[in-house]
Amino acid sequence: MAGLYLHIPFCASRCIYCGFYSTTGLNLQEDYVRAVLQELDYRTDKGNGLFPCSRQRSGGTLTENERFSTIYFGGGTPSSLGTPQLDSLVNGIRERIDMSCVEEWTMECNPDDITPELAEWIGRSPINRISMGAQTFSDERLRWLCRRHTSRQVEEAVSLLRKNGIDNISIDLMFGFPSETLEEWEEDIDAAVALRPEHISAYSLMYEEDTPLFRMLEQGKVTEVDEELSRKMYETLVRRLKESGYIHYEISNFCLPSRQSRHNSSYWNQVSYLGLGAAAHSYNGRRRWWNVSDVKGYLRLIHDEVPAENGIGGECEDIDSTTRYNDIITTALRTSSGISLNSLTDGQREYLLLQSERHLKNGTLAMDDGRLHLTESGIFISDDIMSDLIFIEE
Ligand code: SF4
């Protein structure tokens, strides 16, 4: 089954580390919601850009591969939309797609947006999973990152969501801040675990080009955490979360039993997805396309005919067999279940086994039931292993 992704590229202010596209022009939100629903029409039944996942297309006789099983509102900050806009979006989607197979509907939220009113709205809506950017429980680091919330607001947001019946909450954490100690990181992990979220994602602080943080690094105002400490922080994360009952199911993702992110798992398993909105990406197994990363440009171009299997703004890429193989290496290998050799052609399987030999011998890769996966020691050098396994055309 497929996934539906809606990109909501609005943020009340920008965090210093963020490399994602978003705008602080919140006055465009109403037009944007209308445009996204228009794109959904175009991409499915009403336009010429048929994505194989729509309600009316085959008179209600869609096959399993033609239905959405997950919906994801990502950003940006989807929770920055007011409840009237969220209502329009949710109702607009329900009117347009077959909802019978949708099992998971996630919305990314910033903790400061979770007011009693919004939590109550979420509780009434079909959204059944919340992904919240906590990042750290140190108010000093939150201020430094230019996050708009405090650690107390994260706790209050979780409590409000629980009160309104949300039983699937994911929390994002970051580690490796300049001058952060291992003890401080352990305090963050403990604070997150104390809230008992069903899911935790944790990433080391990245210095993305064109961000204020990157400029600070270039100007020598901050120093990256050293590799050894970063590795210890990651090891501590894995150990502490496992001790607390979380399953380590992807390099950066942990969950309580059966609470994997179904939507994100589909990206790692080459499942089709339709992305709507500025900067959103889509994939249907044969092709990948992505929309222009500019809200005003998107609002202007949405009035033109939306081309089939092509981004608004014209960007796309055909997926040949080499691209598909390399996608599998860089996504499926991140998961604890790894790569199924059956998903590869004979030639790809042969190439993969040849390239894996050294890593299988030194114990950084292992093979179980026809699946090649990273071992615990392999996770720490996953980038190096992946670059050995991918296929580079001469
Ligand atoms: S709120 Fe999220 S998307 Fe917006 S700037 Fe901060 S990290 Fe980026």
Side-chain angles (χ1 to χ4, degrees):
M1 287 198 231
L4 177 64
Y5 175 83
L6 275 87
H7 193 60
I8 312 295
F10 298 99
C11 294
S13 59
R14 297 275 307 163
C15 311
I16 62 167
Y17 56 91
C18 183
F20 291 118
Y21 169 69
S22 71
T23 171
T24 51
L26 305 189
N27 57 324
L28 299 171
Q29 286 180 335
E30 198 176 332
D31 289 345
Y32 186 78
V33 166
R34 245 194 317 270
V36 164
L37 291 174
Q38 198 174 330
E39 189 185 356
L40 180 56
D41 283 338
Y42 282 138
R43 297 288 185 202
T44 52
D45 297 299
K46 294 186 185 168
N48 62 1
L50 280 178
F51 191 85
C53 309
S54 53
R55 186 156 59 173
Q56 301 93 336
R57 180 180 170 214
S58 47
T61 55
L62 297 171
T63 68
E64 183 147 295
N65 290 333
E66 293 177 318
R67 296 168 196 256
F68 290 114
S69 61
T70 61
I71 302 177
Y72 196 102
F73 288 180
T77 317
S79 55
S80 71
L81 295 176
T83 48
Q85 301 304 339
L86 285 167
D87 267 330
S88 303
L89 209 47
V90 166
N91 293 334
I93 290 169
R94 287 209 284 202
E95 282 160 16
R96 286 165 173 81
I97 68 163
D98 180 349
M99 292 290 298
S100 64
C101 294
V102 176
E103 298 168 333
E104 181 189 275
W105 190 331
T106 303
M107 178 162 88
E108 289 182 355
C109 291
N110 264 23
D112 49 312
D113 288 331
I114 307 283
T115 57
E117 295 71 37
L118 182 62
E120 203 249 327
W121 180 87
I122 293 169
R124 276 189 286 113
S125 78
I127 292 165
N128 56 14
R129 183 172 183 273
I130 295 298
S131 174
M132 192 154 48
Q135 315 310 1
T136 168
F137 288 85
S138 149
D139 286 336
E140 194 188 329
R141 283 195 290 275
L142 285 170
R143 272 193 301 276
W144 180 75
L145 292 170
C146 293
R147 298 285 301 171
R148 292 182 298 279
H149 60 88
T150 60
S151 58
R152 177 111 191 94
Q153 282 175 300
V154 176
E155 291 156 11
E156 286 167 358
V158 170
S159 157
L160 275 171
L161 291 167
R162 295 290 191 216
K163 268 189 210 143
N164 284 279
I166 300 299
D167 66 356
N168 201 356
I169 298 177
S170 178
I171 279 187
D172 285 354
L173 291 178
M174 277 182 167
F175 61 94
F177 297 101
S179 78
E180 186 185 18
T181 63
L182 190 57
E183 291 68 36
E184 286 171 328
W185 171 228
E186 285 176 316
E187 283 167 19
D188 266 356
I189 300 171
D190 291 347
V193 169
L195 296 174
R196 213 60 192 155
E198 284 67 26
H199 191 279
I200 296 178
S201 302
Y203 301 91
S204 64
L205 181 67
M206 300 295 286
Y207 292 79
E208 307 268 0
E209 274 189 51
D210 296 325
T211 61
L213 183 63
F214 185 77
R215 284 189 285 281
M216 286 160 80
L217 183 71
E218 280 188 318
Q219 291 160 4
K221 291 183 182 160
V222 291
T223 339
E224 283 185 77
V225 71
D226 83 73
E227 219 173 287
E228 186 51 35
L229 177 57
S230 178
R231 184 183 167 125
K232 276 196 189 137
M233 285 175 158
Y234 183 73
E235 279 170 351
T236 305
L237 169 79
V238 173
R239 180 173 43 76
R240 286 287 254 258
L241 291 188
K242 279 189 181 169
E243 285 165 3
S244 307
Y246 287 86
I247 299 160
H248 188 193
Y249 75 101
E250 197 266 353
I251 290 179
S252 306
N253 288 283
F254 304 80
C255 67
L256 293 178
S258 75
R259 296 309 188 112
Q260 286 91 340
S261 162
R262 289 173 195 230
H263 186 83
N264 290 342
S265 297
S266 64
Y267 296 144
W268 304 318
N269 292 313
Q270 274 62 55
V271 173
S272 298
Y273 51 88
L274 174 61
L276 305 174
H281 286 231
S282 302
Y283 168 80
N284 66 0
R286 299 183 308 274
R287 209 161 218 237
R288 189 177 283 129
W289 64 90
W290 53 99
N291 294 338
V292 60
S293 294
D294 168 35
V295 169
K296 286 188 178 157
Y298 176 78
L299 291 177
R300 198 173 55 249
L301 292 167
I302 194 77
H303 297 301
D304 298 344
E305 194 179 340
V306 172
E309 298 186 355
N310 224 315
I312 293 172
E315 303 277 12
C316 64
E317 175 193 32
D318 285 322
I319 310 286
D320 61 15
S321 121
T322 303
T323 311
R324 187 172 174 279
Y325 168 82
N326 287 341
D327 282 351
I328 291 174
I329 299 298
T330 52
T331 54
L333 200 61
R334 293 183 59 88
T335 65
S336 56
S337 52
I339 299 169
S340 163
L341 295 191
N342 286 336
S343 65
L344 304 174
T345 63
D346 291 348
Q348 290 170 341
R349 201 161 34 239
E350 205 176 302
Y351 178 80
L352 178 63
L353 289 174
L354 187 70
Q355 297 298 105
S356 305
E357 229 168 64
R358 179 166 67 89
H359 300 291
L360 284 164
K361 271 195 196 129
N362 69 18
T364 50
L365 282 176
M367 182 81 77
D368 288 303
D369 297 331
R371 304 193 75 101
L372 183 73
H373 63 90
L374 293 165
T375 61
E376 247 174 59
S377 58
I379 287 175
F380 296 108
I381 51 161
S382 58
D383 286 349
D384 295 339
I385 296 178
M386 284 177 199
S387 59
D388 277 353
L389 305 187
I390 61 171
F391 184 78
I392 300 166
E393 275 167 297
E394 304 281 313

